[in-house]
Amino acid sequence: AFHAKEVHMVAKASQPVLVEIKIDGKTTQTIQVTDSALYTLYQTSESREHELELYIHNPSFEAFTFTFG
């Protein structure tokens, strides 16, 4: 669980990877991870406690860090 307005992740993939993002059990978006970059996973105007789940659809995915703000 996390308590924040924003969640970011630095990640990369050797080939394009779809990452499904779920907040509190509901899919909020699917992003494509390719080059090493900062990806925004969640953003809202109010800070609350949530549960984050990521579903990675390819084994070439690497996550390096998560930041919460």
Side-chain angles (χ1 to χ4, degrees), residues 10-50:
V10 175
K12 75 173 186 173
S14 58
Q15 51 187 296
V17 173
L18 293 178
V19 178
E20 181 182 353
I21 300 151
K22 290 189 176 191
I23 301 294
D24 300 328
K26 297 178 185 175
T27 300
T28 58
Q29 67 175 321
T30 300
I31 61 171
Q32 181 172 290
V33 173
T34 53
D35 298 328
S36 183
L38 178 69
Y39 296 90
T40 299
L41 305 180
Y42 180 72
Q43 193 168 20
T44 189
S45 60
E46 190 175 327
S47 182
R48 289 190 165 176
E49 186 169 314
H50 297 283

Side-chain angles (χ1 to χ4, degrees), residues 47-64:
S47 182
R48 289 190 165 176
E49 186 169 314
H50 297 283
E51 184 173 311
L52 170 69
E53 297 173 77
L54 301 178
Y55 292 86
I56 293 93
H57 298 278
N58 188 310
S60 69
F61 173 84
E62 294 181 72
F64 301 106

